[in-house]
Amino acid sequence: MYKIPSLPTNKTKPQAIAILTSGGDSPGMNPAIRGVVRAALHKGIKVYGINKGYSGLIIGDMVEMDSASVTNIVQRGGTLLKSDRCLAFKDPTVRHQAALVLKEKNIDALVVIGGDGSLTGAHLLTQENNIKVIGLPGTIDNDIYGTDDTIGFDTAVNTALDAIDKIRDTALSHESLFLVEVMGRNSGFIATHVGIACGAEMVVVPEYEIKPETICFQLANNRLLGKGASGIIVVAEGQTPGLTTHLANVLAQHKLEAKVCILGHIQRGGSPSGHDRVLASCLGSTAVNYLCAGYNDVMIGVRDNAITETPLKDIIEKNKKLDDTFFELALLLHK
Ligand code: F6P
């Protein structure tokens, strides 16, 4: 249960808002859209749904939404509004064009659901043009400063766990070692959570250096302790594709054979977990309250179970760090 702030509605309540999903999709974007739409309609605010993120915004590809537009989507993965990584939005003239599109339709504010790149776009849009923006953290990576949790993270962790539990069965049958690559780009949040929850023999993340010798020692020690020769090593994908295969090659040089299994985009799909549905619904509807209270240029996230705002500037400038003690716990539990 989240503590939801009670905010005043000021005189400059928006008349019309628009909403888009941007960047890599994440399970829970749909309940977030639904939360925004239903809360806005409740306050008598018009809502436009923009198709395909910033790419759709630039060309004015949007439709007015009503309550029925978001019916039956709370349980669906992906995003009803579709998403895109719009490189053109890095250009200030393109952002100006987007602002003109919104102004022409008398839209006072834009809600952006996405990761740090998408929230950077929102921040620049409001700084350079007189359009209010509110961001919601929508990414499976959970790597956004200012929020303990992001929409889609919980589902992605559970999807990876479901797959790894199955891989564990075959690993045990054949006494084999698997390197299972999970998503997360250059952050190890998914890998560390998944590693703890699946009882991995080791977790490899970009934030900490783990030597191949340490992995070999850990697995040899497991055999000595009577834990058998099979194992699961959860590897965060890192910034450059191919790192897990490279690790397998390095381990082979140390006479440790490992099969590589890349979970990939399966982690981005699927029905959102109950946790993500509740988180997304709370963030979506509270975002409207923040807009009505006159907030601009902030992301609505969750800290210590309370829904709270963080300036988008901070989100862009600061990094969310994987907690040392948490990662050490993941390592300790493998021993
Ligand atoms: O940011 C979400 C994410 O799924 C990352 O974990 C991953 O590195 C990236 O997106 C993959 O993006 P794309 O689908 O564009 O290849």
Side-chain angles (χ1 to χ4, degrees):
M1 193 172 70
Y2 299 108
K3 197 168 176 298
I4 297 177
S6 129
L7 299 161
T9 298
N10 75 6
K11 291 191 199 89
T12 55
K13 182 186 96 168
Q15 298 304 302
I17 64 172
I19 176 168
L20 60 80
T21 48
S22 169
D25 62 346
S26 66
M29 282 182 163
N30 278 331
I33 296 167
R34 178 175 172 268
V36 171
V37 171
R38 295 251 162 106
L41 294 175
H42 176 70
K43 287 184 182 290
I45 300 169
K46 263 191 188 181
V47 192
Y48 291 90
I50 298 171
N51 286 311
K52 269 200 122 186
Y54 291 120
S55 303
L57 171 58
I58 299 162
I59 56 167
D61 181 7
M62 61 181 85
V63 284
E64 192 175 337
M65 300 180 90
D66 58 18
S67 187
S69 319
V70 289
T71 202
N72 258 320
I73 65 164
V74 76
Q75 77 282 18
R76 277 166 48 194
T79 160
L80 170 80
L81 293 175
K82 304 202 184 311
S83 192
D84 195 19
R85 296 193 191 279
C86 179
L87 296 178
F89 210 68
K90 292 189 173 179
D91 179 345
T93 55
V94 172
R95 291 194 291 272
H96 181 65
Q97 156 74 14
L100 290 181
V101 169
L102 292 169
K103 282 174 187 165
E104 261 166 33
K105 284 204 171 278
N106 293 320
I107 296 169
D108 321 290
L110 176 68
V111 178
V112 173
I113 309 173
D116 50 3
S118 308
L119 299 178
T120 303
H123 172 67
L124 295 172
L125 180 70
T126 187
Q127 287 292 311
E128 299 159 354
N129 306 277
N130 194 20
I131 290 286
K132 282 189 176 173
V133 299
I134 293 274
L136 295 182
T139 168
I140 63 165
D141 298 345
N142 199 13
D143 59 347
I144 300 183
Y145 179 84
T147 186
D148 296 338
D149 202 357
T150 57
I151 297 165
F153 174 65
D154 180 68
T155 309
V157 167
N158 282 297
T159 301
L161 281 176
D162 184 52
I164 293 175
D165 288 347
K166 291 179 174 119
I167 295 168
R168 176 74 85 179
D169 289 343
T170 184
L172 280 165
S173 304
H174 288 268
E175 297 213 314
S176 45
L177 175 65
F178 276 84
L179 300 184
V180 184
E181 181 180 294
V182 295
M183 276 190 166
R185 212 186 292 268
N186 45 12
S187 75
F189 287 98
I190 296 179
T192 310
H193 279 73
V194 167
I196 290 175
C198 80
E201 274 59 39
M202 182 63 73
V203 178
V204 180
V205 295
E207 292 90 338
Y208 298 90
E209 197 198 342
I210 304 263
K211 294 204 164 69
E213 292 80 5
T214 312
I215 298 176
C216 295
F217 175 80
Q218 169 82 38
L219 286 150
N221 203 39
N222 278 357
R223 281 198 291 274
L224 286 177
L225 293 171
K227 295 184 187 175
S230 76
I232 301 284
I233 298 178
V234 177
V235 185
E237 61 177 352
Q239 190 69 46
T240 333
L243 286 177
T244 308
T245 307
H246 174 70
L247 178 61
N249 292 337
V250 173
L251 291 178
Q253 285 162 19
H254 287 75
K255 306 210 173 344
L256 195 60
E257 292 305 321
K259 293 176 195 294
V260 172
C261 189
I262 297 173
L263 297 186
H265 287 77
I266 189 174
Q267 296 157 96
R268 288 234 299 258
S271 181
S273 65
H275 174 90
D276 275 329
R277 294 184 204 189
V278 173
L279 172 70
S281 301
C282 290
L283 293 180
S285 51
T286 314
V288 175
N289 296 346
Y290 272 94
L291 275 173
C292 291
Y295 282 81
N296 178 33
D297 207 6
V298 293
M299 180 194 76
I300 313 305
V302 58
R303 267 187 265 142
D304 300 328
N305 279 337
I307 305 290
T308 186
E309 79 286 353
T310 305
L312 287 175
K313 187 173 179 289
D314 288 357
I315 283 149
I316 295 158
E317 289 172 357
K318 299 178 185 173
N319 288 325
K320 179 166 157 187
K321 210 179 156 300
L322 185 63
D323 188 71
D324 290 346
T325 328
F326 188 67
F327 184 69
E328 279 156 20
L329 170 76
L331 295 184
L332 176 145
L333 289 172
H334 312 322
K335 289 182 183 153

